[in-house]
């Protein structure tokens, strides 16, 4: 058989084996063969990767494409993703009636995205709960998100009338009936926040630490407890998304000790592993939940090492710098980060903290493939999609938003020198990024595919 592409001389990250000197062949967008180094295989094109690693493409399970420029985010944000080695994203799709909006969102992505993508659905009303089975089966979606920070007055300000503990319970009960479904929950107790926020504002505070103090760790932990407790009563698998604090992670650990409970997954984000509430990034690092103390940063690394954190997602929000150049109270929430997952995990995790590379790959690819029903993604194995990163572990680059192609024209990591970058990103065998630039071919023909991932679609 003639292969489309042969990758030679790389050290390849193989599941269960770690970095292994091997040769890898791609055919029809999939990994067709993994052979010994020096194996004699015929291919149309050969890529010599001496001195470099081959890693599976990063799966970012938490992006908000559409929060920057709704019409063009899939183009710009898929490019910024690919530049940093992210080859699959799961973006949040939210609307009044998902039955009427999802097809258009999918078409936009298929037209513009140069990486593969899927959706989670935002559950903000009883209509969403009532139609959950239908929209899951129809659009191939098995994961959702509830926004406990839009309860009550905070929700009404956003136009949400239904968000309360009743909706939380109803959604968990309904999700438990859908095979393979996971309910993600944003955990912050929004009923206490205004009390603390008003005091801090009255005291004249305008700094990143005040943003942490207005929504402290125990308000996250309290919500984590409520969600895990209700989940245990309904049998739903839950996912504590963008978990940020030691207090909240300890609460998850406590609930996991109960016998026979449904799984509790934890997602954390690069910013909770890399930034604290004294970061010079200031309002650029404003996010919900807030970036925390250095002790919380250390707790996140402990969670990475001991396995209590399941996945890493970026919570990517690509708004403009102008929305951030304000007081801490007025600045917009969230920031771009999907293309920074791998570089930050290599720089801070692998190089500085000696986190095993296999663990980083689990958190950034394999675990998301497993829990989100993406059997063709997440690892370098024969038969899987050839979503591959050629990585130079020693390449140092200063983070410069001008080269990152995001609609957002800033980065909270701006000016930092980061060690460990992909030099090529392949999506199903096709090179979409080379030497930090999106290829002309990927610009002309983006080629990203929509990923159906309901359990009935994919035996996993
Ligand atoms: Zn959230």
């Amino acid at each position: 058989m003639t292969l489309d592409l042969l990758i030679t001389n790389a050290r390849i990250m193989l599941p269960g084996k770690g970095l292994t000197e091997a040769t890898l062949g791609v055919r029809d967008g999939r990994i067709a063969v993994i052979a010994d180094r020096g194996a004699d295989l015929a291919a149309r094109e050969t890529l010599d990767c001496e001195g470099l690693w081959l890693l599976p493409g990063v799966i970012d399970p938490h992006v908000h494409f559409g929060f920057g420029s709704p019409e063009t985010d899939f183009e710009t944000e898929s490019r910024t993703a690919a530049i940093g080695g992210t080859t699959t994203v799961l973006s949040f799709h939210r609307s009044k009636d998902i039955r009427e909006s999802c097809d258009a969102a999918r078409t936009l992505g298929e037209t513009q995205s140069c990486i593969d993508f899927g959706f989670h659905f935002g559950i903000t009303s009883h209509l969403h709960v009532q139609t959950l089975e239908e929209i899951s089966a129809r659009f191939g979606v098995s994961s959702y998100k509830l926004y406990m920070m839009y309860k009550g007055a905070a929700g009404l300000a956003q136009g949400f009338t239904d968000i309360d503990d009743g909706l939380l319970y109803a959604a968990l009960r309904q999700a438990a009936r859908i095979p393979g479904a996971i309910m993600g929950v944003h955990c912050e107790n929004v009923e206490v926040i205004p009390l603390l926020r008003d005091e801090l504002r009255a005291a004249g505070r305008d700094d990143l630490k005040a943003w942490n103090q207005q929504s402290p760790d125990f308000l996250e932990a309290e919500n984590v407890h409520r969600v895990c407790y209700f989940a245990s009563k309904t049998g739903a698998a839950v996912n504590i998304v963008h978990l940020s604090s030691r207090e909240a992670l300890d609460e998850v650990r406590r609930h996991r000790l109960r016998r026979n409970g449904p799984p509790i997954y934890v997602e954390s984000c690069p910013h909770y592993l890399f930034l604290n509430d004294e970061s010079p990034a200031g309002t650029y690092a404003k996010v919900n939940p807030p970036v925390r103390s250095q002790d919380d940063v250390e707790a996140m690394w402990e969670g990475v090492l001991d396995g209590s954190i399941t996945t890493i997602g970026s919570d990517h929000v690509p708004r403009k710098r102008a929305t951030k150049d304000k007081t801490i109270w007025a600045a917009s929430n969230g920031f771009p980060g999907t293309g920074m997952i791998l570089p930050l995990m290599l720089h801070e995790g692998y190089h500085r903290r000696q986190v095993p590379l296999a663990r980083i790959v689990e958190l950034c690819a394999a675990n998301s493939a497993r829990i989100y029903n993406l059997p063709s993604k997440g690892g370098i194995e024969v038969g899987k999609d050839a979503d591959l990163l050629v990585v130079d572990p020693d390449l140092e680059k200063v983070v410069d938003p001008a080269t990152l192609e995001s609609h957002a024209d800033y980065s909270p990591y701006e000016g930092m020198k980061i060690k460990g970058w992909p030099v090529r990103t392949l999506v199903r065998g096709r090179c979409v990024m080379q030497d930090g630039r999106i290829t002309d071919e990927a610009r002309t023909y983006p080629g990203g595919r929509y990923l159906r991932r309901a359990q009935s679609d994919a035996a996993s």
Side-chain angles (χ1 to χ4, degrees):
M1 70 177 175
T2 300
L3 298 159
D4 297 325
L5 173 67
L6 194 65
I7 294 172
T8 60
N9 297 322
R11 298 181 69 205
I12 305 181
M13 189 51 156
L14 299 177
K17 289 189 184 163
L19 285 176
T20 306
E21 303 217 337
T23 296
L24 181 144
V26 174
R27 197 170 54 167
D28 297 331
R30 291 185 180 234
I31 298 165
V33 59
I34 299 170
D36 289 342
R37 183 182 170 120
D40 186 22
L41 296 163
R44 290 196 290 109
E45 191 191 339
T46 299
L47 192 59
D48 183 345
C49 294
E50 186 70 55
L52 303 172
W53 295 346
L54 196 67
L55 303 185
V58 169
I59 300 173
D60 183 352
H62 198 143
V63 302
H64 296 278
F65 288 6
F67 279 21
S69 165
E71 296 310 312
T72 54
D73 268 5
F74 262 108
E75 180 176 285
T76 54
E77 306 320 296
S78 69
R79 290 177 183 171
T80 200
I83 286 170
T86 297
T87 54
T88 297
V89 290
L90 298 177
S91 187
F92 287 88
H93 178 69
R94 209 159 77 183
S95 78
K96 243 188 165 58
D97 190 342
I98 287 160
R99 294 171 296 182
E100 281 161 18
S101 61
C102 192
D103 279 330
R106 171 181 171 167
T107 303
L108 201 61
E110 286 172 330
T111 317
Q112 296 182 359
S113 182
C114 68
I115 61 172
D116 289 350
F117 68 98
F119 293 125
H120 312 278
F121 291 145
I123 305 301
T124 59
S125 73
H126 285 288
L127 177 72
H128 295 145
V129 174
Q130 284 150 17
T131 58
L132 199 64
E133 265 185 288
E134 181 190 344
I135 56 180
S136 300
R138 198 164 128 198
F139 302 113
V141 167
S142 61
S143 50
Y144 326 96
K145 185 176 171 193
L146 274 155
Y147 302 81
M148 297 321 286
M149 65 165 310
Y150 292 143
K151 273 170 91 170
L156 287 176
Q158 303 271 335
F160 303 126
T161 54
D162 289 3
I163 302 180
D164 58 15
D165 288 343
L167 186 74
L168 168 66
Y169 181 80
L172 290 171
R173 192 174 59 179
Q174 192 58 26
R177 296 176 181 141
I178 300 174
I182 306 176
M183 186 60 70
V185 187
H186 180 136
C187 291
E188 273 180 286
N189 184 320
V190 77
E191 288 157 323
V192 179
I193 290 171
L195 181 95
L196 301 174
R197 186 181 300 174
D198 290 350
E199 288 170 3
L200 289 156
R201 290 188 75 160
R205 292 283 299 278
D206 179 16
D207 55 277
L208 190 59
K209 195 186 278 282
W211 190 249
N212 179 14
Q213 290 168 335
Q214 56 94 48
S215 183
D217 56 358
F218 65 89
L219 295 187
E220 182 180 39
E222 183 275 340
N223 249 221
V224 166
H225 164 70
R226 186 179 311 212
V227 167
C228 293
Y229 186 62
F230 278 5
S232 75
K233 295 298 170 189
T234 55
V238 287
N239 188 10
I240 311 301
V241 298
H242 50 49
L243 182 135
S244 63
S245 63
R246 180 184 294 280
E247 191 94 353
L249 189 56
D250 281 346
E251 195 60 37
V252 170
R253 291 189 177 112
R254 212 167 64 80
H255 276 273
R256 278 179 178 155
L257 291 176
R258 289 162 180 259
R259 264 187 328 130
N260 297 328
I264 303 167
Y265 302 115
V266 169
E267 171 197 271
S268 191
C269 310
H271 41 277
Y272 302 125
L273 290 153
F274 197 69
L275 299 175
N276 64 32
D277 62 1
E278 291 170 15
S279 162
T283 58
Y284 295 167
K286 177 183 173 181
V287 65
N288 293 324
V291 293
R292 306 288 190 185
S293 70
Q294 188 56 33
D295 179 63
D296 293 294
V297 171
E298 299 304 322
M300 293 305 104
W301 285 108
E302 289 163 23
V304 162
L305 285 168
D306 73 12
S308 18
I309 293 172
T310 322
T311 63
I312 301 291
S314 70
D315 203 359
H316 181 88
V317 171
R319 294 196 184 98
K320 289 288 189 197
R321 186 189 296 263
T323 71
K324 288 294 211 178
D325 285 336
K326 299 182 175 185
T327 68
I328 195 74
W329 312 109
S332 68
N333 285 307
F335 41 76
T338 186
M340 291 303 300
I341 294 177
L342 184 72
L344 289 176
M345 292 303 286
L346 292 178
H347 177 85
E348 183 70 16
Y350 179 79
H351 287 299
R352 290 205 52 224
R353 293 174 181 262
Q354 283 79 51
V355 175
L357 189 61
R359 185 80 193 113
I360 292 173
V361 167
E362 266 172 37
L363 284 158
C364 298
N367 287 354
S368 281
R370 178 169 57 81
I371 74 171
Y372 292 115
N373 295 318
L374 294 164
S376 67
K377 306 290 191 191
I380 301 183
E381 287 173 56
V382 170
K384 284 193 191 274
D385 288 348
D387 294 351
L388 300 168
L389 310 176
V390 180
V391 171
D392 181 344
D394 298 316
L395 177 62
E396 290 188 295
K397 283 203 276 189
V398 174
V399 178
D400 175 5
T403 64
L404 296 179
E405 299 228 16
S406 171
H407 176 76
D409 48 355
Y410 74 97
S411 163
Y413 312 109
E414 207 164 327
M416 295 181 189
K417 193 194 260 186
I418 301 296
K419 184 175 177 178
W421 293 83
V423 292
R424 269 182 206 248
T425 299
L426 276 61
V427 176
R428 282 176 280 101
R430 196 174 75 125
C431 183
V432 298
M433 182 281 280
Q434 186 176 346
D435 297 327
R437 291 204 182 84
I438 298 298
T439 59
D440 290 343
E441 194 198 329
R443 286 182 195 280
T444 314
Y445 172 68
R449 283 190 191 157
Y450 177 68
L451 300 164
R452 285 188 62 91
R453 36 184 206 89
Q455 198 153 72
S456 52
D457 299 325
S460 66

